[in-house]
Amino acid sequence: METSLMSEQLSQRAPKQNGSYILRKLVSDIPLSADEQSADVKITCVEVWNSNLYIGTSAAEILHFVLIPPEPSDLSGQPTAIIASRLQPAYTQSTGAGVQQILLLPEVNKACILCNNTLTFYSLPELSPAFPATKPLPCTWVGGVDLNSEYGEASEDGVVVMICQRNRIRLVRVGEEGPRSIRSIEYGGCLSALRRDNFACAADGRSYALLDVEHQQKIGLFPISSLDEEAGYTGGVSEDIHSALSSHAPSRSVSSASTHPKHLVREEQRGHGRSTSLGIFSGGGGQARTESPRPPTGQRYGFDVPESFQRMHSPATGRSPERHPERTSSLPRAATPTPEKPLPPAPSETSTSQQPAPPPPAPEKKAFIPLKPHIVSPTPSEFLLTIGTTPSEPGVGMFVNLDGDVVRGTIEFCSYPDALVVDGSGIDMSGSLGPGQNAEEGYVLAVMQNDGKEGIEHGVEIQRWDMDPGEGHASKEWLDLTPLPLSSASNDSGQLTAMPLGIRTIVAPSEFSLPEISGKLSSKRLSLPTNSSEPPSIAQDTSTTPTDKQKRAQAKQASEKVDLDFAERLSKLQTRIVLWADNQIWWVVRNPLVIRLDAVLEQAKSNVDGEVARIQPSREIVERLLNDIRGQEPRSEAEYLGLIYIRQKASVLLFMELILRSTTNIIIFENEKRSTEDALIKGEIDPRVILSLLPILEKEVIQGSEGIWISGGLTTLVEQFLQENDLAAMPATVNGPFGDNLLLLVKRYLSFWKRRKGMASVTNDPHVFQSVDAALLHILLLLDRDSPKGPATAGSIRAELNDMVDKEVDCFDRAIALLEHFKRLYVLSRFYQSNSKASAKASKVLATWRRILEGEADEGGEFIDGELELRKYLSRIRDQSLVEEYGTWLANRNPKLGVQVFADDHSRVRFEPTRAVALLKEKSPGAVKDYLEHLVFGKKHTRYVNDLIAYYLDIVITELESSPDSRGILLQTYETYRALHPPKPTYRQFITENDVGSEWWNSRLRLLQLLGSNLGATTSYDVPSVLSRLEPYENELVPEMIILNGRQGRHEEAIRLLTHGLGDFDTAISYCLLGGSSIFRPASGFVPQESVSTRDEQAKLFGYLLHEFLRIEDLSDRIERTGELLERFGGWFDVATVLGMIPDTWSIEIFSGFLINALRRLVRERSETAINKALISAQNLKTSVEMIDKAEEVGPTVERVN
């Protein structure tokens, strides 16, 4: 049954190297026997101090080795042991077990050696005999050095030890002068004891007891074996050892009358005071203890009976097991109810009325086998004791405080331990740490033995003593013994061995190096395969001078030395536990956090055991580990770096798992991708490592001349993955698992790194962010390749791409190559705008835009209205040469838009009109006309009127000369317009609305506007020159001839052409009103007062117009136009003149309106004249009266004339 229990627990053991403790070799192949022939010589005890190793053997010899630290280049980290001496201690009898104990007293440089129950003293470190006058002392055990005294603490009077003899324990002070007895305590047969200040926990062959070594009091605790009927009841009574009755067992009844020396009191006062608060000493708190061995009546002195024991039993010494079943069976923590604990409910009537069941048959009584007592002290106020039944059955560990009360919960061992040690101060979950304190888990390590398939098997069981068994982290584990030789073949996990084991806590912590830590945490250069198809990613060393090379070599050596020192510092560990088996001794080292967690990751890395297994990460194990360390705070620099390393390695493993699953065309769940992304972000590994694992993107890794340096454990992992997987053979389809599983995740991860640029905690290596930018740009281009053409929409990949190139990008040359490769010219222009030097920015942007406008492929299709964008851009730059070059280029493509570059008053580069005209005439002749139009019509520059008119005339006349159809079109417009019946638009409106959409037609409209407008810019053109060019086409260009006749003052001819050539009667009336100054102007345009002629001139022109109206061929039109003219503008005509011109045959009704208005006007004028005369007469009269009044007021003035 016990074997199956141990096997079951062993099967649940964690994988190798991830346990709480690991073994590291201290020394091997120890020559235990001088003649090398005695194979039965065994190691019995071991002690290490100050690079000295002392080994006791069953052959009653002590081997002294000097430990030489390993060289820094020694990867094993194992010191070199050189034997210094082989000592045979003196003893009086040869029936013992050889060297039983080695007790080192570094404070006084002495050693106590117990060999064959004989104690001798030696000097440290060479083990030369000390105190020649002192004879060897027979004893069974030596120890009891105060555990509360700090190691290395100076002692003036020496060190007090406990020497256990047959009938008593002697307290002996060992100093420079020799051992001196202080006190004897009547406690015989002691086999083990530990002391805290004045209180010791001791054990004889039967039971444990708590001793007050100063006041000579004892509390019996409990038997070592519950099957020991001879032990009797030992707990609950405080005894004065010197006054005990003779009927008690000799080991607990012999009294002593020894007094308390003053120097021991001084030592006690100098020790820790924690026991004072536990109610051990007499009442009065701070009173000093007296020298009297008997305290006054009523005062607590030494031990009082613990409250728990007082409630449980009386001082009787009965031995019946029935009286104490809780003690002799399972030994619970507190078997007796306390006053605070409620009583169980009363039994029900049904249960009481039933007949009692027959008692079960009594189990077979087990034979009593003496058990070795074990006492350890995990804290300054507690002792841990072991009890059990038989060596093969489970044992129990119980905690007792300095009052003798059982505290904490019990811990259970698979079998009764052969040896026991504790390590760590423990974590108090109910309290908080003080300043400078570090939380340290408390462990108990027990050497076990068990009957296996092939004989006795030994192992080391590890469990926490500072946690209750029910807590989550209190599970047991077994020390990995695979480093030991001849491990048991019946246990494949390497947890048991056929060799007997010994374990011990040494006197002082020893420091040693664990190379595995530096191997995992120290930086190593990552070896990546070179890629010949792409530009070299490793920057070449351009410095060739010897001085530069020497400086770089010196800097590299200094850096390597710093790294080496740092790695050595991280690898330094301390331990106080040694384990021995056969002829080898091992350090039992608390497994560093990084080694323990990395072992889990190594297990998760591959599902197949063995060194040649391919990487196949287990996501479940890795994610569980990340959850376990989430929020964990490091307690040292090594743990801080170790947690960083573990998080980075875990994130890389998760990412490798995604890659491998993506190669099988599996679309991975979103939560798995998110967990991988979170792990990468929290791990903060160099993003180049992640990029090196992906096809396509591995080309974007820029290593630089120094390469990529990461933790050694990561270097091994990445290089192994790259060796096992051919990146070129991996599927890299953007629309498949590669894009869905990996590209989007890596895009977010690289964006995270890009946002962190410039932070104090982030590397300043430029190659890192060059690689990040190149890879991120490459990913965005891949993802945007299938997006629809056109501008980016909010939140799209294209918007993200534009946002990236609009900001600073570190990989300038690589970005250009990528954008050119993907034919994203517009994005390239945005990149130039944001990342080029100021002197070259505009030229690169404009050159790229010109490539797009000239037809080169732009896959994005974002450059909509490119010519307009180019024109706006030219107005924002200051480089005149670029504006001239691309302005004229644009004017050749789009004259109307191009001339705006030279005509924009808000442009940063402004051109004088003369310079612009000359430039356009030279490089863009087709845009000169448009620019002149801007100058004449927009800027009102009169000096360019003749040039513009000449351009218009060239266009129109060239068209008329070369195209009879065009001449026919013009003549047809006159006939069509004349055929229209009033009301009809003006001829200008008619030809504008009936535009044929050709250049010469628009030029003619502009020409009419320029010739006919009465603006200041048009008054200076050369009328005779224009007229000479138009005269050959006077029948086709009637409006032009009308305007020119008006300019020359030939108003009669102009009115004639308006009336009979065009039939535009409304324009003819406007001509008369404006005096012939302008006939083509906007209908709602403002008419300046100076452009309106005088009334006499208007009357003259209206006379010409009436004459022409009376000559209209169509009688009805003649009568209608004449009557309308006379009725609307009768005020400009003389009645007599009109009556003389109108034919007598016309009815008076035709011009009756004119006559009525004329007569009314005459009557109104006569009435106005009469009123005016009356008003003037009244004004004269008023003035005369005022003059008379003024004269009377002044009075006469007399002037004397000599």
Side-chain angles (χ1 to χ4, degrees):
M1 177 179 177
E2 293 79 4
T3 304
S4 62
L5 177 62
M6 180 178 290
S7 301
E8 180 181 356
Q9 293 192 2
L10 286 175
S11 64
Q12 299 175 355
R13 178 189 177 272
K16 300 177 181 179
Q17 295 294 322
N18 67 343
S20 301
Y21 287 83
I22 55 177
L23 292 177
R24 287 298 178 266
K25 186 177 293 186
L26 174 59
V27 63
S28 60
D29 299 326
I30 303 172
L32 298 179
S33 176
D35 54 9
E36 297 183 359
Q37 294 180 355
S38 301
D40 57 346
V41 178
K42 298 179 178 58
I43 298 176
T44 56
C45 55
V46 175
E47 188 61 86
V48 182
W49 173 74
N50 198 19
S51 298
N52 291 275
L53 172 64
Y54 305 99
I55 303 173
T57 69
S58 59
E61 292 182 334
I62 292 182
L63 308 181
H64 175 203
F65 290 87
V66 177
L67 301 178
I68 308 299
E71 295 293 332
S73 58
D74 186 0
L75 299 180
S76 66
Q78 180 180 350
T80 301
I82 300 177
I83 188 166
S85 64
R86 184 184 294 269
L87 172 69
Q88 293 183 343
Y91 52 88
T92 58
Q93 54 183 350
S94 59
T95 59
V99 178
Q100 298 162 283
Q101 285 183 266
I102 300 176
L103 176 64
L104 302 185
L105 306 176
E107 294 82 358
V108 293
N109 291 325
K110 296 295 183 288
C112 303
I113 296 178
L114 181 63
C115 179
N116 290 331
N117 295 327
T118 304
L119 178 65
T120 52
F121 298 92
Y122 295 88
S123 298
L124 295 178
E126 72 281 0
L127 292 186
S128 59
F131 316 134
T134 304
K135 297 181 179 180
L137 301 175
C139 72
T140 59
W141 183 86
V142 64
V145 177
D146 184 10
L147 298 181
N148 287 347
S149 62
E150 297 182 2
Y151 169 73
E153 182 181 2
S155 176
E156 298 177 359
D157 301 326
V159 180
V160 177
V161 299
M162 299 173 65
I163 299 176
C164 301
Q165 296 179 316
R166 177 176 300 179
N167 296 325
R168 64 180 57 86
I169 298 176
R170 296 178 60 183
L171 269 67
V172 176
R173 186 182 305 280
V174 180
E176 294 294 337
E177 297 80 8
R180 185 158 53 92
S181 178
I182 299 176
R183 179 181 301 107
S184 294
I185 301 174
E186 297 301 324
Y187 186 86
C190 179
L191 301 179
S192 179
L194 283 184
R195 183 165 64 92
R196 293 280 187 182
D197 289 336
N198 294 327
F199 303 95
C201 184
D204 55 15
R206 299 284 184 173
S207 61
Y208 297 100
L210 191 63
L211 307 178
D212 183 342
V213 298
E214 178 184 0
H215 300 101
Q216 308 242 352
Q217 291 185 332
K218 178 188 73 172
I219 292 180
L221 297 178
F222 30 74
I224 301 171
S225 172
S226 59
L227 302 179
D228 186 5
E229 297 182 356
E230 299 297 327
Y233 172 67
T234 59
V237 181
S238 174
E239 304 179 38
D240 289 335
I241 301 176
H242 51 74
S243 62
L245 296 177
S246 60
S247 60
H248 288 189
S251 63
R252 298 185 296 276
S253 61
V254 180
S255 62
S256 173
S258 60
T259 60
H260 302 190
K262 294 183 180 181
H263 55 265
L264 181 59
V265 175
R266 290 196 302 270
E267 180 183 352
E268 293 167 353
Q269 293 173 349
R270 190 173 63 247
H272 292 279
R274 180 169 180 177
S275 60
T276 306
S277 63
L278 300 177
I280 299 299
F281 302 111
S282 60
Q287 297 178 1
R289 298 183 180 180
T290 66
E291 298 293 327
S292 173
R294 303 283 299 179
T297 304
Q299 182 184 19
R300 185 180 180 203
Y301 197 44
F303 288 123
D304 281 346
V305 178
E307 183 180 355
S308 60
F309 284 117
Q310 287 179 344
R311 291 194 301 267
M312 290 169 54
H313 304 287
S314 65
T317 61
R319 301 180 181 180
S320 173
E322 289 80 3
R323 294 181 58 187
H324 312 287
E326 69 283 354
R327 174 178 57 81
T328 58
S329 57
S330 60
L331 293 173
R333 175 179 174 181
T336 306
T338 62
E340 295 80 5
K341 183 176 181 181
L343 294 175
S348 62
E349 296 179 2
T350 304
S351 62
T352 58
S353 62
Q354 294 177 352
Q355 295 296 328
E364 182 180 356
K365 187 176 181 180
K366 298 180 180 180
F368 167 68
I369 301 176
L371 301 178
K372 180 181 179 181
H374 299 294
I375 306 173
V376 291
S377 180
T379 68
S381 61
E382 294 174 327
F383 296 102
L384 172 60
L385 318 176
T386 59
I387 59 176
T389 54
T390 64
S392 60
E393 292 184 348
V396 177
M398 301 188 68
F399 294 88
V400 178
N401 64 14
L402 298 183
D403 281 336
D405 290 326
V406 177
V407 294
R408 299 183 182 270
T410 60
I411 58 177
E412 184 177 348
F413 304 100
C414 291
S415 62
Y416 192 82
D418 290 340
L420 195 72
V421 296
V422 291
D423 183 40
S425 59
I427 299 176
D428 186 2
M429 304 302 294
S430 61
S432 58
L433 294 175
Q437 293 182 345
N438 292 324
E440 184 183 23
E441 298 87 349
Y443 288 93
V444 55
L445 291 81
V447 174
M448 308 288 186
Q449 64 174 325
N450 190 69
D451 293 333
K453 297 179 181 180
E454 299 182 2
I456 301 296
E457 295 178 335
H458 303 267
V460 180
E461 184 187 61
I462 304 171
Q463 55 184 311
R464 294 280 295 273
W465 61 259
D466 54 350
M467 286 189 174
D468 292 333
E471 299 185 27
H473 296 281
S475 59
K476 297 181 181 180
E477 57 181 299
W478 290 81
L479 182 64
D480 182 17
L481 301 179
T482 51
L484 296 181
L486 302 177
S487 59
S488 176
S490 62
N491 186 259
D492 297 333
S493 60
Q495 300 159 356
L496 298 177
T497 179
M499 296 181 297
L501 302 176
I503 196 169
R504 173 180 173 83
T505 301
I506 61 176
V507 64
S510 291
E511 188 178 77
F512 70 101
S513 178
L514 196 62
E516 293 95 322
I517 298 180
S518 61
K520 296 179 186 299
L521 299 185
S522 60
S523 297
K524 295 182 181 179
R525 181 167 181 170
L526 178 62
S527 176
L528 295 178
T530 57
N531 183 13
S532 59
S533 62
E534 291 291 327
S537 59
I538 301 179
Q540 300 296 326
D541 189 359
T542 58
S543 300
T544 57
T545 61
T547 304
D548 293 338
K549 291 182 178 180
Q550 183 179 4
K551 289 181 179 179
R552 285 195 304 274
Q554 293 175 353
K556 184 177 181 180
Q557 291 177 357
S559 177
E560 290 177 351
K561 185 178 184 303
V562 171
D563 292 342
L564 182 61
D565 294 342
F566 180 69
E568 290 181 356
R569 181 160 52 85
L570 291 180
S571 302
K572 296 294 183 182
L573 295 178
Q574 287 187 341
T575 185
R576 294 188 61 180
I577 305 175
V578 291
L579 179 83
W580 61 87
D582 194 35
N583 62 350
Q584 298 187 4
I585 301 176
W586 301 74
W587 291 116
V588 181
V589 185
R590 182 169 295 206
N591 198 359
L593 180 67
V594 61
I595 302 296
R596 189 165 69 248
L597 297 179
D598 188 64
V600 179
L601 294 180
E602 285 297 316
Q603 180 195 19
K605 184 177 72 172
S606 175
N607 295 326
V608 182
D609 294 334
E611 298 180 356
V612 295
R614 291 177 62 86
I615 295 177
Q616 293 287 339
S618 171
R619 172 171 291 273
E620 181 182 359
I621 297 176
V622 178
E623 290 183 345
R624 188 188 309 122
L625 181 140
L626 288 175
N627 290 330
D628 290 342
I629 64 174
R630 191 183 307 276
Q632 182 170 345
E633 295 295 332
R635 295 173 294 186
S636 63
E637 183 181 24
E639 284 197 5
Y640 172 77
L641 296 175
L643 287 173
I644 293 177
Y645 162 74
I646 292 299
R647 290 190 176 99
Q648 290 181 348
K649 185 171 182 178
S651 65
V652 172
L653 285 173
L654 290 177
F655 190 70
M656 289 177 176
E657 193 262 352
L658 285 186
I659 295 175
L660 295 176
R661 288 171 63 188
S662 298
T663 58
T664 60
N665 293 325
I666 295 177
I667 300 298
I668 299 172
F669 290 115
E670 191 64 29
N671 64 326
E672 295 181 346
K673 292 185 284 187
R674 285 295 181 183
S675 65
T676 304
E677 179 184 345
D678 293 341
L680 288 172
I681 290 175
K682 292 178 180 179
E684 298 183 358
I685 191 173
D686 190 328
R688 295 177 293 178
V689 177
I690 301 301
L691 296 177
S692 66
L693 304 176
L694 290 173
I696 301 178
L697 298 182
E698 48 91 16
K699 300 176 183 178
E700 309 303 339
V701 175
I702 301 175
Q703 301 184 60
S705 58
E706 298 297 328
I708 300 175
W709 290 78
I710 54 176
S711 301
L714 291 175
T715 302
T716 304
L717 176 65
V718 173
E719 291 176 354
Q720 179 184 350
F721 182 84
L722 294 177
Q723 291 174 0
E724 295 176 357
N725 300 275
D726 184 7
L727 297 184
M730 290 185 179
T733 305
V734 178
N735 296 327
F738 175 74
D740 187 80
N741 297 340
L742 299 174
L743 284 188
L744 293 175
L745 184 152
V746 176
K747 176 182 74 69
R748 295 190 295 267
Y749 176 63
L750 295 178
S751 299
F752 162 78
W753 263 91
K754 187 173 178 64
R755 291 192 299 269
R756 300 180 73 242
K757 180 183 178 182
M759 294 184 179
S761 60
V762 180
T763 177
N764 58 357
D765 186 354
H767 301 107
V768 172
F769 291 97
Q770 289 174 10
S771 302
V772 167
D773 286 349
L776 182 57
L777 180 61
H778 200 157
I779 292 174
L780 292 174
L781 290 171
L782 288 171
L783 295 175
D784 190 52
R785 177 180 286 175
D786 296 329
S787 300
K789 291 188 176 183
T793 57
S796 63
I797 293 293
R798 183 160 297 176
E800 194 171 349
L801 173 62
N802 291 339
D803 182 67
M804 178 184 176
V805 298
D806 287 344
K807 298 176 182 177
E808 182 181 0
V809 177
D810 291 331
C811 56
F812 186 82
D813 295 332
R814 181 57 182 163
I816 295 174
L818 285 171
L819 293 171
E820 292 281 4
H821 174 73
F822 283 88
K823 298 181 180 180
R824 301 301 297 273
L825 297 183
Y826 178 70
V827 181
L828 177 61
S829 68
R830 298 182 68 148
F831 172 77
Y832 283 141
Q833 177 64 29
S834 303
N835 293 272
S836 296
K837 295 180 180 179
S839 59
K841 179 186 301 183
S843 61
K844 292 180 179 294
V845 172
L846 291 170
T848 307
W849 284 357
R850 180 160 65 181
R851 291 168 58 189
I852 300 175
L853 293 174
E854 289 179 348
E856 191 168 341
D858 179 31
E859 297 296 336
E862 301 167 85
F863 199 45
I864 301 174
D865 293 333
E867 294 178 347
L868 180 61
E869 290 296 326
L870 189 144
R871 174 255 179 277
K872 293 179 180 177
Y873 187 81
L874 289 175
S875 66
R876 297 194 298 266
I877 63 176
R878 299 180 183 274
D879 192 329
Q880 183 169 352
S881 61
L882 287 177
V883 175
E884 290 180 0
E885 178 184 355
Y886 287 95
T888 55
W889 175 83
L890 179 60
N892 281 321
R893 287 179 54 86
N894 189 338
K896 293 186 179 298
L897 193 61
V899 297
Q900 296 179 17
V901 176
F902 303 94
D904 190 357
D905 291 334
H906 301 287
S907 175
R908 294 189 175 183
V909 177
R910 300 179 184 178
F911 292 88
E912 291 294 330
T914 54
R915 168 64 178 162
V917 171
L919 187 64
L920 290 173
K921 286 182 178 180
E922 178 185 356
K923 297 184 178 181
S924 181
V928 175
K929 175 180 71 68
D930 297 275
Y931 184 69
L932 292 176
E933 287 177 349
H934 169 74
L935 293 178
V936 173
F937 296 110
K939 299 290 187 177
K940 307 298 186 293
H941 288 304
T942 59
R943 61 179 296 180
Y944 300 103
V945 170
N946 289 321
D947 292 334
L948 183 57
I949 291 175
Y951 269 97
Y952 289 149
L953 289 175
D954 290 340
I955 295 172
V956 174
I957 292 175
T958 301
E959 180 67 23
L960 295 178
E961 289 177 347
S962 60
S963 177
D965 294 337
S966 298
R967 291 198 300 270
I969 290 173
L970 287 179
L971 297 174
Q972 184 63 38
T973 57
Y974 301 145
E975 294 179 1
T976 302
Y977 183 76
R978 285 194 296 266
L980 295 177
H981 294 284
K984 60 182 179 180
T986 63
Y987 180 74
R988 173 64 186 275
Q989 293 174 341
F990 175 75
I991 61 176
T992 302
E993 294 172 357
N994 294 276
D995 189 357
V996 297
S998 59
E999 176 64 22
W1000 71 271
W1001 188 276
N1002 293 328
S1003 297
R1004 186 186 178 225
L1005 293 178
R1006 281 288 192 174
L1007 178 62
L1008 289 174
Q1009 181 182 358
L1010 191 60
L1011 294 175
S1013 61
N1014 195 29
L1015 300 178
T1018 62
T1019 58
S1020 59
Y1021 66 84
D1022 189 356
V1023 176
S1025 174
V1026 176
L1027 184 59
S1028 63
R1029 298 189 63 183
L1030 291 179
E1031 282 180 345
Y1033 305 97
E1034 58 181 355
N1035 294 329
E1036 289 82 4
L1037 302 175
V1038 176
E1040 289 83 350
M1041 298 302 297
I1042 295 172
I1043 295 171
L1044 294 177
N1045 286 328
R1047 293 293 183 184
Q1048 292 180 320
R1050 298 164 59 182
H1051 300 301
E1052 293 183 53
E1053 181 63 20
I1055 292 175
R1056 182 187 67 80
L1057 292 175
L1058 281 170
T1059 304
H1060 303 290
L1062 290 180
D1064 188 355
F1065 307 120
D1066 291 339
T1067 303
I1069 293 174
S1070 298
Y1071 185 90
C1072 296
L1073 290 173
L1074 299 175
S1077 61
S1078 177
I1079 63 172
F1080 293 107
R1081 63 173 62 252
S1084 60
F1086 172 73
V1087 180
Q1089 184 64 32
E1090 60 271 10
S1091 65
V1092 180
S1093 59
T1094 63
R1095 189 173 183 83
D1096 293 338
E1097 187 176 354
Q1098 290 175 347
K1100 180 180 178 181
L1101 296 178
F1102 274 117
Y1104 296 151
L1105 182 58
L1106 178 60
H1107 179 72
E1108 295 299 331
F1109 276 4
L1110 292 175
R1111 294 177 56 194
I1112 296 175
E1113 294 182 0
D1114 187 89
L1115 180 60
S1116 60
D1117 287 344
R1118 187 191 315 157
I1119 295 173
E1120 185 178 355
R1121 299 278 76 77
T1122 302
E1124 181 183 1
L1125 177 64
L1126 292 175
E1127 184 176 357
R1128 291 177 58 193
F1129 302 99
W1132 278 267
F1133 293 98
D1134 180 67
V1135 177
T1137 304
V1138 172
L1139 292 176
M1141 295 175 63
I1142 293 176
D1144 296 337
T1145 58
W1146 284 14
S1147 172
I1148 196 173
E1149 294 179 358
I1150 297 174
F1151 51 92
S1152 59
F1154 166 72
L1155 294 176
I1156 294 172
N1157 290 333
L1159 293 175
R1160 288 176 178 174
R1161 185 171 62 254
L1162 291 175
V1163 173
R1164 184 175 61 252
E1165 289 177 355
R1166 188 180 64 181
S1167 299
E1168 290 176 355
T1169 301
I1171 293 172
N1172 191 25
K1173 288 181 179 181
L1175 291 174
I1176 292 175
S1177 298
Q1179 187 177 9
N1180 289 335
L1181 180 59
K1182 179 180 179 182
T1183 303
S1184 299
V1185 172
E1186 291 176 353
M1187 185 185 67
I1188 294 172
D1189 293 340
K1190 188 68 175 179
E1192 290 179 352
E1193 181 182 352
V1194 174
T1197 300
V1198 179
E1199 294 183 2
R1200 293 174 180 262
V1201 180
N1202 295 329

